[in-house]
Amino acid sequence: MELADIARRLELQDLYTGYAACLDSDALERWPDFFTEDCAYRVTSAENYAAGLPLGLIYATSRNMLKDRVSALREANIYEPQRYRHLISGISLGSEAADGLDVAANFLVIRTMQDGAMSIFAAGRYVDRVVRVAAGWQFARKIVVLDSRRIDTLLAIPL
Amino acid sequence: MELADIARRLELQDLYTGYAACLDSDALERWPDFFTEDCAYRVTSAENYAAGLPLGLIYATSRNMLKDRVSALREANIYEPQRYRHLISGISLGSEAADGLDVAANFLVIRTMQDGAMSIFAAGRYVDRVVRVAAGWQFARKIVVLDSRRIDTLLAIPL
Amino acid sequence: MELADIARRLELQDLYTGYAACLDSDALERWPDFFTEDCAYRVTSAENYAAGLPLGLIYATSRNMLKDRVSALREANIYEPQRYRHLISGISLGSEAADGLDVAANFLVIRTMQDGAMSIFAAGRYVDRVVRVAAGWQFARKIVVLDSRRIDTLLAIPL
């Protein structure tokens, strides 16, 4: 393992750390900046993902669609404010190609309601592709593969 | 800290990441490959571990016994398919000796049932010994120390 | 990224790993050693933290106060012994200054009761400042920002 490999691994850890911190601090307006302009973003169930079904609960094919989703979330009247906390572990890297690098990781999201009740909101696996840009790394593709089919994604923050 | 130390840490992170990915993707037939031929594998409770009791809920003293366990799990008619998601953090390394290196880590396993219900399946600590082999690293010993005595290990995947 | 930067990141990971291992193994007498003599330690809710309220559920302004807290916990007759398991992820580092380095991380604590029941005890964010000392790194400031306002901190271990 060379210094450049090690540096890349740590940079990619930082990408996921920054991504989680953005969502957990409700800085959703910054969320699309983690993606390339022509990114693919998808939230799907493990069942549908294993079956090769292309669509999902949420589907976007550009950064602009992600911005629209944030606007929609902001405009929606959310009855009960919630907090989310991401735990991400087991980041694994494929080999780097001209068009990017495959990365996967396990995630767990804990939701805390206004009254203090905490629950497991989501668990699953990120199946991502990242590309190197001037400012660091961005997601060219992010597939959020949920272990559970039962999720309230309508009002929830991005995952 | 020298480059070789850093590389070793990252290799061992990869070992745990690969281990978790193997179990979470239900690739149980590959699970014994993470162990040496004469490995010791044990699942025990924190209470019994602290008391120095040698046995546990599950006990194997070779890779072949692990293969047998996988066969038994596959043959068992599991009524309800489940998904497991491992979160592993806080990997800590002892010093490397001729016969291996002690490693410990915290783990949390979330179980998702067929109907979508998610729960904490297990939490605890891995108390392991790893050895360097041609292909990378293997577990010569893995003790899965569970925080809870109450666990359904009969039908569950390995931990 | 240079070798010294990488080494520092790994050292700080070790700090959090050791901190979690200390608490999870109930080695509370060693807990104050993770802090500087004139440290600030605070447990607060995300709500109060965002509002800039200076106090919290627990507040200490020296290592001696932390020692006193441990003594109080040991003297208290705890009806039901519990186990705690910390999962820490997403450690992010600010830039190093003469008076220390800002570090933040996400945490999740699972509590296991004597009867085996497991639950989410706490989730939130560490907002810390660390300083380099002869033996490694210590917390000059640790703010434990809890996602939930509802927490039993009276009898609980430190976070």
Side-chain angles (χ1 to χ4, degrees):
Chain A
M1 212 177 291
E2 289 176 25
L3 193 58
D5 298 315
I6 295 170
R8 188 176 54 199
R9 287 175 66 125
L10 299 179
E11 286 164 19
L12 289 169
Q13 279 182 10
D14 287 346
L15 176 68
Y16 284 88
T17 292
Y19 187 85
C22 171
L23 297 181
D24 292 347
S25 64
D26 193 35
L28 301 189
E29 282 70 18
R30 288 200 298 109
W31 173 60
D33 299 341
F34 286 90
F35 294 85
T36 61
E37 243 185 271
D38 59 346
C39 66
Y41 174 80
R42 183 150 72 101
V43 179
T44 190
S45 68
E47 219 165 15
N48 284 1
Y49 183 73
L53 297 181
L55 293 178
L57 300 164
I58 297 171
Y59 196 75
T61 54
S62 72
R63 191 197 287 155
N64 279 334
M65 286 177 70
L66 301 180
K67 289 181 182 171
D68 288 348
R69 183 163 170 81
V70 172
S71 301
L73 283 168
R74 290 303 191 203
E75 279 159 25
N77 247 332
I78 295 176
Y79 171 65
E80 189 174 26
Q82 299 135 14
R83 286 182 198 282
Y84 297 88
R85 186 63 51 195
H86 284 68
L87 282 288
I88 297 175
S89 84
I91 299 174
S92 76
L93 274 61
S95 55
E96 193 168 355
D99 60 341
L101 171 63
D102 288 329
V103 188
N106 281 359
F107 68 84
L108 170 65
V109 184
I110 303 297
R111 175 155 70 169
T112 303
M113 308 307 273
Q114 181 72 357
D115 69 356
M118 291 181 287
S119 62
I120 301 169
F121 176 67
R125 190 160 178 82
Y126 290 130
V127 182
D128 300 339
R129 172 161 281 245
V130 296
V131 292
R132 211 189 274 271
V133 293
W137 294 88
Q138 281 179 331
F139 294 107
R141 189 195 70 208
K142 179 177 272 294
I143 309 178
V144 182
V145 184
L146 298 169
D147 287 341
S148 174
R149 300 179 288 186
R150 256 184 13 194
I151 191 169
D152 162 24
T153 45
L154 201 63
L155 293 181
I157 57 156
L159 285 161
Chain B
M1 212 178 290
E2 289 176 26
L3 194 58
D5 298 315
I6 295 170
R8 188 175 55 199
R9 287 175 65 126
L10 299 180
E11 287 165 20
L12 289 169
Q13 279 182 11
D14 287 347
L15 176 68
Y16 284 87
T17 292
Y19 186 85
C22 171
L23 297 181
D24 292 346
S25 64
D26 193 37
L28 300 189
E29 282 70 18
R30 288 199 298 109
W31 173 61
D33 300 341
F34 285 91
F35 293 85
T36 61
E37 244 186 88
D38 58 344
C39 66
Y41 174 80
R42 183 149 72 101
V43 179
T44 190
S45 69
E47 218 164 13
N48 283 1
Y49 183 73
L53 298 181
L55 293 178
L57 301 164
I58 298 170
Y59 196 76
T61 54
S62 73
R63 192 198 287 155
N64 278 335
M65 286 177 71
L66 300 181
K67 289 182 182 171
D68 288 348
R69 181 162 171 82
V70 172
S71 302
L73 282 169
R74 290 301 191 205
E75 279 160 25
N77 247 330
I78 295 177
Y79 171 64
E80 189 174 28
Q82 299 136 13
R83 287 182 197 283
Y84 297 88
R85 185 65 48 196
H86 283 68
L87 281 287
I88 298 176
S89 84
I91 299 173
S92 77
L93 275 62
S95 54
E96 193 168 355
D99 60 342
L101 171 63
D102 288 328
V103 188
N106 280 359
F107 69 84
L108 170 65
V109 185
I110 304 296
R111 175 155 70 169
T112 303
M113 307 308 273
Q114 181 72 355
D115 69 357
M118 290 181 288
S119 61
I120 301 169
F121 176 67
R125 191 161 178 81
Y126 291 130
V127 181
D128 300 339
R129 172 162 282 245
V130 297
V131 292
R132 212 188 273 270
V133 293
W137 294 87
Q138 281 179 331
F139 294 107
R141 189 196 68 209
K142 180 177 272 293
I143 309 177
V144 182
V145 184
L146 297 170
D147 287 341
S148 175
R149 298 179 289 186
R150 257 185 13 196
I151 191 169
D152 161 25
T153 45
L154 202 62
L155 294 180
I157 57 157
L159 285 163
Chain C
M1 213 179 288
E2 290 176 27
L3 193 59
D5 297 315
I6 295 169
R8 188 176 54 199
R9 286 176 66 128
L10 299 179
E11 287 165 19
L12 289 169
Q13 279 182 10
D14 287 348
L15 176 67
Y16 284 88
T17 293
Y19 186 86
C22 171
L23 297 181
D24 292 347
S25 64
D26 193 36
L28 300 190
E29 281 70 19
R30 288 200 297 109
W31 172 61
D33 300 341
F34 286 89
F35 294 84
T36 61
E37 244 186 87
D38 59 346
C39 66
Y41 174 81
R42 183 150 72 100
V43 179
T44 190
S45 68
E47 217 165 15
N48 284 1
Y49 183 72
L53 297 181
L55 293 178
L57 300 163
I58 298 169
Y59 196 76
T61 53
S62 72
R63 191 198 287 155
N64 279 334
M65 285 177 72
L66 300 180
K67 290 181 182 170
D68 288 347
R69 182 161 170 82
V70 172
S71 302
L73 283 168
R74 290 301 191 206
E75 280 160 26
N77 247 331
I78 295 177
Y79 171 65
E80 189 174 26
Q82 299 135 13
R83 287 184 196 282
Y84 297 88
R85 186 65 49 195
H86 284 67
L87 282 288
I88 297 175
S89 84
I91 298 173
S92 76
L93 276 61
S95 54
E96 193 168 354
D99 59 342
L101 171 62
D102 289 329
V103 189
N106 280 0
F107 69 85
L108 170 65
V109 184
I110 303 297
R111 175 156 70 169
T112 304
M113 307 308 274
Q114 180 73 354
D115 68 358
M118 291 181 287
S119 61
I120 301 170
F121 176 67
R125 190 161 179 80
Y126 290 130
V127 181
D128 300 341
R129 172 161 283 245
V130 297
V131 293
R132 211 189 273 271
V133 294
W137 293 88
Q138 280 178 332
F139 294 107
R141 190 195 68 208
K142 180 178 272 293
I143 309 177
V144 182
V145 184
L146 299 170
D147 287 341
S148 175
R149 296 179 290 186
R150 258 187 9 198
I151 191 168
D152 162 25
T153 45
L154 202 62
L155 293 181
I157 57 157
L159 286 163

